[in-house]
Amino acid sequence: MEVMTHSSTFLLPSNHRSPSVTYALVILNQPLLRFTPLLWNHAQVKVCADGGANRVFDEMPLLFPSDDALDPDIIKGDMDSVRTEVLDFYTNLGTKVVDESHDQDTTDLHKCVAYIRDFTPNLDKSNLCILVAGALGGRFDHEAGNLNVLYHFSTMRLILLSNDCLIYLLPSTHHHEIYIQSAVEGPHCGLIPIGMPSASTTTTGLQWDLNNTKMRFGDLVSTSNLVQGEKVTVQSSSDLLWTISIKV
């Protein structure tokens, strides 16, 4: 089985980042994360999902007080949340606006990820990672919709971020090696079988490792686990969500 490696180097200073990774940033309509400047400065493309543009307009000047204007590359969504004055402001700065109000079957995050995948020809997608700021917290139905996007785009690297943790999908098609950046993440972590039970999951590098363990809701799920070193390995018969706490 092919190995897929994971590392949260985007949380580290720029001199510790992998130069081969291309980052895209999607900002959702939630309060900006305290480390948004770190994400913003190192993203090759910045996309606001609908009302996420309001957050950038209202809150970014507080995070970047020395900059006059911090404009996203794209605003995309069904346009039911973004304010008219915000659209006008960023349109005048050259931001592209993509109105998909005709599509009520997909979320704004889904629309943004699809756009990054299909309509950003100048973005190197050979090793692309999409960071989603504000994906957790707020209404639970929004959170569930964001988790569903991970499954819909299971062949892409998407990381959902809050101030407290990150979440990404571990597809069952791969054996996973997760390199822990202990300066900025951990030690609390979890492996969650959302979508279907896992008939067998085996891990190394956790305080409570799994050994061909069955996991399902209503029975055992691996929450409140702890990473023990610099590397965690995971192999499972079904897709799992990996989550780990964030320190930055």
Side-chain angles (χ1 to χ4, degrees), residues 106-124:
T106 63
T107 66
D108 288 332
L109 175 57
H110 183 121
K111 293 175 174 67
C112 290
V113 173
Y115 187 91
I116 292 169
R117 180 193 62 188
D118 298 332
F119 298 106
T120 50
N122 296 326
L123 189 66
D124 180 8

Side-chain angles (χ1 to χ4, degrees), residues 41-63:
N41 283 333
H42 296 282
Q44 280 73 28
V45 63
K46 306 167 186 73
V47 182
C48 286
D50 198 349
N54 298 338
R55 301 291 182 171
V56 173
F57 183 85
D58 295 336
E59 300 173 38
M60 269 299 198
L62 302 177
L63 298 176

Side-chain angles (χ1 to χ4, degrees), residues 14 21 30 60 125 175 179 188 224 247:
S14 57
V21 179
Q30 290 287 332
M60 269 299 198
K125 301 186 181 73
H175 176 83
Y179 290 88
H188 298 92
S224 299
K247 300 176 182 177

Side-chain angles (χ1 to χ4, degrees), residues 4-87:
M4 180 180 289
T5 61
H6 309 267
S7 181
S8 301
T9 56
F10 62 90
L11 292 170
L12 295 170
S14 57
N15 58 318
H16 290 90
R17 297 169 188 273
S18 171
S20 62
V21 179
T22 300
Y23 291 106
L25 174 62
V26 179
I27 295 183
L28 302 185
N29 191 11
Q30 290 287 332
L32 295 184
L33 306 181
R34 60 179 180 269
F35 51 89
T36 298
L38 186 67
L39 307 177
W40 186 273
N41 283 333
H42 296 282
Q44 280 73 28
V45 63
K46 306 167 186 73
V47 182
C48 286
D50 198 349
N54 298 338
R55 301 291 182 171
V56 173
F57 183 85
D58 295 336
E59 300 173 38
M60 269 299 198
L62 302 177
L63 298 176
F64 287 92
S66 62
D67 291 294
D68 295 330
L70 292 150
D71 49 312
D73 300 296
I74 303 151
I75 300 172
K76 191 173 193 291
D78 62 6
M79 301 300 159
D80 65 345
S81 300
V82 62
R83 304 194 305 267
T84 300
E85 68 269 23
V86 173
L87 277 180

Side-chain angles (χ1 to χ4, degrees), residues 4-7 129-130 132 146-161 166-178 190-196 234 236-244:
M4 180 180 289
T5 61
H6 309 267
S7 181
C129 180
I130 300 175
V132 185
N146 295 336
L147 294 176
N148 187 50
V149 170
L150 294 182
Y151 284 80
H152 188 90
F153 296 95
S154 61
T155 61
M156 300 180 68
R157 292 178 183 260
L158 282 88
I159 301 178
L160 307 184
L161 292 158
L166 61 82
I167 297 176
Y168 52 80
L169 186 69
L170 303 180
S172 60
T173 52
H174 291 74
H175 176 83
H176 298 275
E177 294 181 347
I178 304 168
L191 288 162
I192 316 297
I194 290 181
M196 63 181 299
V234 181
S236 181
S237 62
S238 69
D239 298 346
L240 299 175
L241 293 178
W242 165 258
T243 182
I244 190 168

